Amino acid sequence: MTTRPDKLRVAASFSRAAGTYDSVAQLQRDVGRQLLWYLPLHLKPERWLDLGCGTGFFSRALADWYPQGEGIAVDIAEGMLQHARQAGGVQAFVAGDAERLPLRDGSCDLIFSSLALQWCADFAAVLGEAQRVLRPGGVLAFSSLCVGTLQELRDSWQAVDGFVHVNRFRGVEDYQALCAASGLQVERLQVRAHRLHYPDLRNLTHSLKALGAHNLNAGRPAGLTGRARLRALADAYEQRRQPEGLPCTYQVIYGVLQKEPRA
Ligand SMILES: C[S@@+](CC[C@H](N)C(=O)[O-])C[C@H]1O[C@@H](n2cnc3c(N)ncnc32)[C@H](O)[C@@H]1O
């Protein structure tokens, strides 16, 4: 099991990024839209949850999809919730942790969570909470990040100083094993690579910071990143340049799991 950043640091980083997130969230939009399309067509949730709602873009999309249902947007970062609250469109905005949901047993028909659960160290606890909070027949639909995400940046740093400057992500086989053991029925679990291109390294690191998703690992090297090291990093990344620009790969896992309907 790899170490993931602690919750306070994650919440603070995303709270700081709330004002810039939407301007650089193209990949997050594409992934969330894909996840919406994976939702079972028959689903008519009376109550749904957008878990790790961020600025609330997909909370509002879900409210449009399910106008008859009651929506709850949950996030661990108060700054993100404030931002989402201003845009409205959802019945409730609640501060909470995916590993300890502030909801009653059997109270939801759908948990939608796009690109948030990679920040949870205990994915088994997340699945346990989904199992607890969903009604029989309810659905958990999530997208998350796997090993191989930001690999080009990781490899470039490795060439410079051997440190892990990039967030660590769970392996696909861990997702598979944990979902299989969750007690929920796995309807879909598939990985898709998404690749972005940036004109230069500055652009790429600026985007990660604006998303709140720059390196949050414990044990990361302290202090400012020196000019010489950044130069060396840019040179190492340049080796990977493609005709479209500097590549940046995200390995996205999409999961749709269902709680057994009542017999
Ligand atoms: C990359 S953003 C995605 C936001 C939104 N779902 C979207 O697709 O635009 C990840 C969000 O997950 C939230 N998050 C991280 N860890 C969480 C946890 N343990 N419980 C709830 N939310 C969490 C962060 O605060 C952040 O707002």
Side-chain angles (χ1 to χ4, degrees):
M1 186 75 196
T2 49
T3 330
R4 252 160 289 278
D6 74 55
K7 288 177 196 301
L8 286 177
R9 190 180 282 155
V10 169
S13 179
F14 279 106
S15 283
R16 274 196 301 275
T20 47
Y21 181 87
D22 284 331
S23 65
V24 283
Q26 192 50 51
L27 171 106
Q28 288 68 15
R29 297 287 187 262
D30 291 347
V31 169
R33 284 195 187 100
Q34 183 67 64
L35 186 61
L36 282 177
W37 285 110
Y38 288 150
L39 293 176
L41 283 175
H42 61 80
L43 211 62
K44 300 247 176 322
E46 281 177 27
R47 183 182 286 139
W48 53 262
L49 198 67
D50 182 12
L51 181 53
C53 64
T55 56
F57 183 86
F58 288 104
S59 313
R60 295 185 288 281
L62 287 163
D64 285 347
W65 275 46
Y66 303 120
Q68 79 288 2
E70 178 196 352
I72 305 176
V74 173
D75 203 284
I76 202 168
E78 192 51 53
M80 281 292 193
L81 277 177
Q82 274 171 20
H83 202 89
R85 225 176 254 127
Q86 277 165 17
V90 180
Q91 279 75 10
F93 295 89
V94 178
D97 178 356
E99 293 175 16
R100 290 185 62 177
L101 287 175
L103 291 158
R104 284 199 308 276
D105 297 3
S107 56
C108 285
D109 305 291
L110 168 66
I111 301 174
F112 176 95
S113 182
S114 192
L115 292 181
L117 302 181
Q118 67 275 7
W119 303 109
C120 295
D122 192 349
F123 192 58
V126 173
L127 293 170
E129 282 296 83
Q131 166 80 285
R132 178 181 71 75
V133 158
L134 286 172
R135 293 189 180 125
V139 168
L140 164 67
F142 72 90
S143 63
S144 189
L145 298 174
C146 308
V147 164
T149 296
L150 302 179
Q151 191 64 42
E152 301 89 348
L153 184 57
R154 176 185 296 270
D155 291 347
S156 301
W157 268 123
Q158 188 71 37
V160 172
D161 64 9
F163 274 109
V164 180
H165 294 261
V166 180
N167 292 313
R168 298 186 185 90
F169 299 102
R170 205 174 277 114
V172 178
E173 58 295 338
D174 290 337
Y175 281 103
Q176 286 167 335
L178 292 167
C179 287
S182 68
L184 297 163
Q185 195 166 319
V186 181
E187 303 290 339
R188 174 190 293 274
L189 200 58
Q190 78 182 70
V191 179
R192 233 186 94 185
H194 293 251
R195 185 159 298 137
L196 301 177
H197 288 92
Y198 291 92
D200 52 37
L201 181 68
R202 209 178 135 86
N203 228 278
L204 187 158
T205 52
H206 167 81
S207 290
L208 289 179
K209 192 160 184 209
L211 287 167
H214 49 303
N215 183 25
L216 296 170
N217 283 319
R220 66 207 195 288
L224 291 175
T225 306
R227 201 180 267 254
R229 286 200 311 149
L230 276 184
R231 183 72 262 149
L233 178 67
D235 289 346
Y237 215 129
E238 276 303 320
Q239 310 295 317
R240 293 163 175 81
R241 184 175 282 281
Q242 296 175 344
E244 308 92 313
L246 294 181
C248 180
T249 302
Y250 285 80
Q251 295 290 349
V252 181
I253 187 158
Y254 294 90
V256 178
L257 283 68
Q258 185 170 29
K259 183 163 172 173
E260 202 170 318
R262 225 188 304 269

